[in-house]
Amino acid sequence: MSGYNSDGFMDEDYDDDAFEYSEEEEEFGHNAIIGNSAGASQLNNESQTETQPGVSADGPFYENDLLDDTGDFEPVLGSIKKKKAWEVDYMIYDPEELRAKQVNIAARMEPLLGISKEATRLLLRHYFWKEENLIEDYLSDSERTLAKAGLTAYPPPPELKSGDENFSCAICYTDGADESYLALTCGHRFCSDCYRTYVTGKVLEGDSWRIHCPAPKCKVLLGITASRLLLAQDNTVMERYEENLTRSFVNDLDTFAWCPAPNCEYAIECHVPRTAWATTIPVVECKCGNSFCFGCKFDNHLPAPCYMVSRWLQKCKDDSETSNWIKVNTKECVKCKSTIEKNGGCNHMTCRDCHYEFCWICMGPWSEHGQQFYNCNRFNEDSSKEARESISKTRQSLERYIHYFTRYNNHEQSAKLARKLLATTEKNMEQMQRELALSWIEVQFLRDAVDVLSVCRSTLKWTYVLAYYMVADNQKIIFEDNQSDLEMATEQLNGLVEDPIGQDTVDDIKRKIMDKSTYVKTRWETLLRDITTGLQENRWQFETL
Amino acid sequence: MLTALSTKRLMRELNQLIKNPPSSHVRLLSHETLDKWKIQIIGADETLYADEKYILQFKFPNDYPLESPEVVFVGDCVPVHPHIYSNGHICLSILYQQWSPALTAEAVCISILSMLSSCTQKKPPKRDAIYVKRTKTASPKKTSWRFDDDNV
């Protein structure tokens, strides 16, 4: 078995430096069991079944844990932080590890099926790697299963032959004994040049194992060995072929997905079933740093579940900018419902149509405002309330949407600004280093604070989506309290970070920011934990989506 | 430009067709260029299309035979058939997804003949007018075909 830990460090290398080694583990985090290294290609079935987490001398990583389909694989590294409530188990694979994984599964199935390696590999792919279905079908009718997939149990190793005078290629019509040709179990013979061109064309179209004999209506699969034999001379096409094989492996399995980040070539394995996505958000973080939802492949949308996110995004797209603009910039006259845009002046409005006088802020009648012309503090007065309640229902729902959308949008924008903030922060850090003769490590607290900020912004953003669909009840009030706690703390931290060098001494600032960061982080964890358990307990009612 | 493979292959197919036509029902009419042929097919005896003469136009792509030829009925009359649109487009799987490089122009002709022969009722495809209006003279290879009738 592979003796690599997830960071790619070999045990032996770190034997005499155990402390640093364990620190490494702490660093990269708890549940991200990053795929084992290529060593797994030399698979050893016996040792797999015997190893148990934490007891074997084989190393910290066990293949059978990986292959266990149950999904709740045990964390396999010694000093692992406890998994947070909202975190899910997943593994990251690089292309090499993906290749090894395919080899492993095939090698495990081979003795079970008792057919050749080649046939096993193709049969597995034909069954989209659903081992149970394959075994079931195979045991009930092996011949039919193979035939349906276009396979034979023991295909003779493919080889290019020549020396048959009667040979004539049905594609290019070249004939004669000199011509080298290939024939699969179906007996259709084609010259090697034509075969090569045919396979190359298919590979460049993205095909791999599904390539079959070129004869009309012949379904016999060419197979991986034969493809490699034909493409041996052309490295680029060969690489593409291998790539297609891996691609189809990841695409065919529900439990695997590519990291959607541009140019990222890692794949993620995650066993949170589709049915659980309504209450569990399978957020994973790729080695490339991209954090995304395994379920919908969208950006990390903790703590809103996938179905809500897609609904919300659809809604944001549907509600045209025009209606948004009307909502944001206009109000309806309480009396005659005509739409009014306020383009200047004070809060004392007189409707041009019905001459009703009202306050722009509270929508209550102006007569009750007395002399406070520019300042309305009557929002909760009964008459104002009545006036607002009379606003038409559709408008109210739109207003509700805008309420949440503005906040959602605000956090999205702020998250974008956070990137800018990072640049300013770095400048600030340099400045602090220079002016106050601090060491680099001493000013890192600023960067940490910005990191915390952007994580919280993202979470806050999606809590508004959750809140939008949440039916108002006492539980929602608790939820909103938690939300506003985090929001307030986040804004405060934001303020501190944006202008760190003020009147206070550096030590004060540093202490303040660090205190606030820790506080924000705690609030963030509390909120997420609460939402996760709440979703699982069905604590909230959601509008039927 | 035709590749060496397609040139060689088309030359052979052409010679074959001229020297040994598969039956009296298939006759090469013209081949202005190597990649554009016209073939006449005559409906088989004792079928709905007996003695009816139609012209098929073959256009061979540069990477023929890896890619299928574009085959349409041309001329004044196009057979009335549930799988043949009045602009000459033919709904036949081997011309599109099911194409195999081991198929030939001759094999395509025979397939089309047999498609005509097995027809029991001369009627145009459903929604022929809409399809024809939409595709006009575009290549049938741009249509995405669905093949659901194995009988005719």
Side-chain angles (χ1 to χ4, degrees):
Chain A
M1 285 306 302
S2 114
Y4 290 79
N5 80 6
S6 2
D7 253 359
F9 291 112
M10 268 183 90
D11 291 347
E12 293 86 349
D13 293 347
Y14 276 79
D15 267 352
D16 48 0
D17 202 358
F19 180 64
E20 192 178 337
Y21 170 71
S22 66
E23 257 203 345
E24 280 295 329
E25 285 178 5
E26 286 288 327
E27 268 300 305
F28 70 78
H30 25 283
N31 58 336
I33 305 160
I34 297 158
N36 65 327
S37 293
S41 53
Q42 264 91 49
L43 165 118
N44 183 338
N45 272 317
E46 285 165 6
S47 82
Q48 268 182 39
T49 45
E50 284 164 17
T51 49
Q52 294 215 338
V55 275
S56 161
D58 266 357
F61 201 79
Y62 309 115
E63 189 62 26
N64 62 337
D65 287 318
L66 280 188
L67 301 173
D68 197 345
D69 258 354
T70 54
D72 49 353
F73 25 81
E74 286 286 304
V76 284
L77 294 164
S79 55
I80 286 169
K81 272 193 248 164
K82 202 170 175 291
K83 200 175 79 172
K84 302 274 198 310
W86 60 90
E87 287 169 343
V88 295
D89 290 313
Y90 61 93
M91 278 180 279
I92 305 171
Y93 292 83
D94 68 23
E96 202 44 57
E97 289 159 354
L98 283 170
R99 225 163 274 179
K101 174 101 184 169
Q102 299 169 59
V103 173
N104 280 350
I105 300 180
R108 196 152 44 102
M109 290 299 279
E110 202 184 318
L112 287 173
L113 298 176
I115 52 177
S116 68
K117 192 171 161 190
E118 174 81 12
T120 313
R121 285 192 287 192
L122 294 170
L123 208 52
L124 264 168
R125 286 176 188 275
H126 183 80
Y127 272 83
F128 296 110
W129 302 88
K130 291 198 169 60
E131 297 165 46
E132 282 159 25
N133 297 8
L134 164 56
I135 290 179
E136 201 174 294
D137 282 6
Y138 188 80
L139 292 183
S140 61
D141 192 343
S142 55
E143 265 173 43
R144 202 165 147 253
T145 307
L146 282 166
K148 257 178 121 178
L151 292 167
T152 25
Y154 288 99
E159 53 174 333
L160 297 175
K161 290 180 193 155
S162 59
D164 183 352
E165 276 177 31
N166 296 326
F167 170 71
S168 168
C169 172
I171 296 179
C172 64
Y173 289 174
T174 317
D175 44 22
D178 296 342
E179 212 50 40
S180 80
Y181 62 87
L182 177 76
L184 302 176
T185 47
C186 53
H188 300 121
R189 303 190 293 182
F190 299 96
C191 77
S192 51
D193 282 341
C194 285
Y195 239 126
R196 206 164 283 134
T197 329
Y198 166 74
V199 174
T200 307
K202 289 275 183 195
V203 169
L204 295 181
E205 278 171 19
D207 254 334
S208 53
W209 62 275
R210 281 194 181 86
I211 301 171
H212 50 77
C213 166
K217 307 221 158 139
C218 181
K219 292 278 172 255
V220 172
L221 289 178
L222 177 61
I224 298 167
T225 322
S227 304
R228 285 183 181 147
L229 176 75
L230 287 166
L231 298 174
Q233 298 161 352
D234 192 336
N235 271 333
T236 26
V237 183
M238 182 74 149
E239 267 168 35
R240 183 71 194 273
Y241 180 78
E242 301 292 337
E243 213 180 285
N244 291 350
L245 278 179
T246 309
R247 195 157 289 276
S248 93
F249 170 71
V250 173
N251 292 345
D252 289 348
L253 273 168
D254 292 341
T255 50
F256 273 77
W258 293 106
C259 167
N263 297 326
C264 175
E265 47 179 21
Y266 293 107
I268 313 274
E269 179 181 13
C270 175
H271 286 265
V272 177
R274 194 173 284 269
T275 45
W277 291 349
T279 51
T280 311
I281 299 103
V283 167
V284 297
E285 189 179 332
C286 180
K287 255 191 220 175
C288 72
N290 180 32
S291 164
F292 67 99
C293 167
F294 185 86
C296 59
K297 316 291 179 292
F298 194 69
D299 300 345
N300 179 352
H301 56 70
L302 266 175
C306 297
Y307 71 96
M308 228 176 254
V309 170
S310 68
R311 264 300 174 104
W312 174 260
L313 294 175
Q314 190 59 40
K315 189 170 178 59
C316 294
K317 222 166 77 187
D318 286 352
D319 282 351
S320 67
E321 286 301 310
T322 317
S323 72
N324 284 354
W325 185 90
I326 290 175
K327 190 54 229 159
V328 172
N329 294 287
T330 73
K331 286 183 182 177
E332 266 173 22
C333 167
V334 182
K335 256 196 166 156
C336 71
K337 312 278 179 233
S338 40
T339 303
I340 301 168
E341 180 194 1
K342 179 172 151 69
N343 51 11
C346 72
N347 292 329
H348 180 182
M349 305 300 289
T350 308
C351 175
R352 199 175 288 172
D353 286 349
C354 67
H355 302 287
Y356 174 68
E357 292 179 46
F358 64 97
C359 165
W360 183 257
I361 301 290
C362 70
M363 301 305 282
W366 188 256
S367 53
E368 291 173 17
H369 274 67
Q371 294 304 307
Q372 295 165 312
F373 284 113
Y374 300 101
N375 186 5
C376 173
N377 57 0
R378 302 174 44 80
F379 201 70
N380 287 323
E381 293 290 328
D382 285 348
S383 55
S384 314
K385 265 188 184 165
E386 271 168 36
R388 284 197 303 273
E389 271 162 21
S390 73
I391 295 175
S392 62
K393 243 192 173 156
T394 42
R395 205 161 172 111
Q396 262 181 23
S397 89
L398 200 55
E399 194 154 88
R400 193 173 113 77
Y401 165 67
I402 296 292
H403 170 90
Y404 289 102
F405 179 79
T406 347
R407 279 149 189 84
Y408 164 87
N409 196 37
N410 172 41
H411 283 296
E412 188 165 79
Q413 296 306 325
S414 305
K416 279 180 194 156
L417 289 177
R419 225 172 297 148
K420 249 179 165 173
L421 184 60
L422 191 68
T424 348
T425 308
E426 271 167 2
K427 231 170 67 198
N428 280 338
M429 280 158 63
E430 271 175 37
Q431 195 188 343
M432 282 174 104
Q433 255 180 286
R434 237 186 357 259
E435 289 179 6
L436 305 158
L438 291 174
S439 68
W440 178 83
I441 197 87
E442 277 176 302
V443 293
Q444 284 308 300
F445 69 95
L446 265 183
R447 176 190 282 271
D448 292 345
V450 174
D451 285 347
V452 171
L453 264 183
S454 51
V455 170
C456 289
R457 290 263 183 229
S458 154
T459 303
L460 278 169
K461 179 173 108 177
W462 293 109
T463 54
Y464 279 107
V465 177
L466 208 61
Y468 175 75
Y469 290 110
M470 203 180 277
V471 173
D473 57 10
N474 288 340
Q475 294 292 355
K476 185 177 179 179
I477 296 175
I478 301 177
F479 167 83
E480 283 179 333
D481 282 348
N482 274 328
Q483 183 191 30
S484 82
D485 276 352
L486 176 62
E487 186 160 38
M488 218 142 65
T490 307
E491 297 300 347
Q492 284 166 0
L493 179 62
N494 205 137
L496 283 175
V497 173
E498 267 178 2
D499 189 18
I501 307 176
Q503 300 295 319
D504 300 323
T505 63
V506 176
D507 279 346
D508 276 351
I509 286 284
K510 184 172 174 180
R511 204 190 58 243
K512 268 194 196 163
I513 292 186
M514 283 175 84
D515 281 354
K516 196 51 95 181
S517 297
T518 317
Y519 176 70
V520 168
K521 212 169 170 188
T522 324
R523 293 288 351 149
W524 176 73
E525 286 186 357
T526 314
L527 183 70
L528 273 189
R529 197 178 317 115
D530 185 59
I531 295 176
T532 310
T533 44
L535 283 175
Q536 272 153 14
E537 290 166 359
N538 282 327
R539 194 188 298 155
W540 298 290
Q541 304 254 307
F542 291 105
E543 275 174 34
T544 37
L545 294 177
Chain B
M1 266 295 289
L2 290 173
T3 60
L5 167 64
S6 39
T7 312
K8 189 166 93 180
R9 157 92 183 226
L10 284 171
M11 293 289 283
R12 294 291 291 259
E13 271 194 57
L14 205 56
N15 281 334
Q16 183 83 11
L17 205 57
I18 294 166
K19 276 189 213 150
N20 303 313
S23 81
S24 55
H25 294 271
V26 177
R27 192 165 67 89
L28 184 73
L29 283 184
S30 70
H31 49 99
E32 310 147 35
T33 52
L34 189 56
D35 56 359
K36 193 173 169 188
W37 303 358
K38 286 205 170 99
I39 297 177
Q40 186 188 56
I41 58 169
I42 306 169
D45 305 336
E46 290 166 36
T47 67
L48 289 178
Y49 302 87
D51 292 330
E52 291 177 18
K53 289 177 182 168
Y54 300 106
I55 301 169
L56 281 170
Q57 177 185 273
F58 281 73
K59 275 190 192 164
F60 299 96
N62 290 342
D63 49 359
Y64 178 81
L66 293 169
E67 203 189 306
S68 64
E70 176 195 312
V71 186
V72 287
F73 278 104
V74 290
D76 300 334
C77 61
V78 166
V80 179
H81 183 278
H83 295 165
I84 299 168
Y85 290 89
S86 53
N87 61 350
H89 288 192
I90 309 160
C91 177
L92 179 63
S93 61
I94 58 159
L95 289 178
Y96 313 102
Q97 285 99 319
Q98 304 281 309
W99 169 255
S100 145
L103 285 167
T104 59
E106 192 182 299
V108 169
C109 291
I110 303 285
S111 283
I112 292 173
L113 267 178
S114 101
M115 190 173 104
L116 291 178
S117 304
S118 55
C119 177
T120 52
Q121 201 186 354
K122 275 189 178 183
K123 61 171 186 188
K126 278 181 204 157
R127 295 193 284 179
D128 176 58
I130 299 172
Y131 176 81
V132 172
K133 198 175 157 199
R134 204 177 290 163
T135 52
K136 297 200 179 90
T137 51
S139 163
K141 294 178 82 175
K142 298 217 166 72
T143 306
S144 90
W145 298 93
R146 225 183 72 232
F147 310 102
D148 43 16
D149 184 359
D150 293 333
N151 300 321
V152 185

